[in-house]
Amino acid sequence: MSLVDAYAKEIRKQLRFHAVWPPQMPIRLGDYGKLTNGVFERTGTLVSTIKLREGAQPLPFKYSSTGTVEVSLSGQVEAAAGGAPLVSGTLRISFKAENSFLVRLAGYRIETIKNLDDIEREVKAMADARKWSADLLVVTTRHIAKRCTVLVASAAGASVDLGVEGEGALADLTNPSLHLTLRSNRDMGFSIVDAPEVTPFCSLMELRGWFDPELAPKHLAPGVDLLPEGSAEEPRLALVLDE
């Protein structure tokens, strides 16, 4: 299994998100495309005006796969009057397994589409005009980071040394005040460190309930049956979350 396949598979299984690869790939609400080995690939954008619903105050986010170990080295703490101690030093992150990874999102926030009814109507119209295939999905939620770090090991024993500056505990990667820089790495397959305004994950919706067997998606929603050709019934089409 490739590095990208393993990364996308675990993100999907453990977090129920879809991976955007590379994580810095620009992606917008209303983009549509296909999944290739679990990774979303954009093929177009809907023309409907998107109304946003933003999440609450940005939160810290960190996820590491099995086999990831963090070890702090050379941390130096200086007293700061009336506040948390200033921190500077080096944080080494070691990976015990091939394709193991760590994701750290500082200033993590969620953007989602508020006017899904408008999006559904546009997708249905495209389907009626035979401009929509059953394997297309729409980006309806973006998982965004003010600063994004993604580290993926290409071999067991891989490691990366990060420069750390900020306030708080040196090894607390959930602390959004810590700023990271890449100092050195060994056997790393992919590394981005504190990249600004990145959307590493997205949530997708697909149109289900097709009545034309040629357009039927591979996985139908529970309880939705294909209607036979020539049926007088109207097709039951709806945008549903891809799960």
Side-chain angles (χ1 to χ4, degrees), residues 43-56:
T43 59
T45 302
L46 299 176
V47 299
S48 295
T49 300
I50 302 295
K51 297 179 182 178
L52 297 182
R53 177 184 288 115
E54 295 199 38

Side-chain angles (χ1 to χ4, degrees), residues 167-189:
E167 297 181 350
L170 177 65
D172 182 10
L173 288 177
T174 63
N175 180 0
S177 75
L178 295 182
H179 289 260
L180 311 178
T181 55
L182 179 64
R183 291 187 173 174
S184 64
N185 70 85
R186 182 185 68 184
D187 293 331
M188 295 300 298

Side-chain angles (χ1 to χ4, degrees), residues 61-72:
F61 176 101
K62 181 178 77 70
Y63 177 82
S64 58
S65 59
T66 303
T68 303
V69 178
E70 302 168 16
V71 181
S72 60

Side-chain angles (χ1 to χ4, degrees), residues 10 24 26 35 40 42 57 76 78 96 107 113-114 154 164 184-185 191 215 221:
E10 180 157 348
Q24 312 99 303
L35 288 176
F40 176 74
R42 177 189 173 277
Q57 182 177 355
Q76 298 175 350
E78 300 176 1
K96 291 185 177 181
I113 293 177
K114 187 177 182 179
S154 61
V164 184
S184 64
N185 70 85
S191 302
L215 297 177

Side-chain angles (χ1 to χ4, degrees), residues 22-42:
Q24 312 99 303
M25 181 74 71
I27 189 173
R28 297 183 299 174
L29 294 177
D31 284 352
Y32 61 85
K34 301 180 180 182
L35 288 176
T36 302
N37 296 325
V39 175
F40 176 74
E41 294 185 351
R42 177 189 173 277

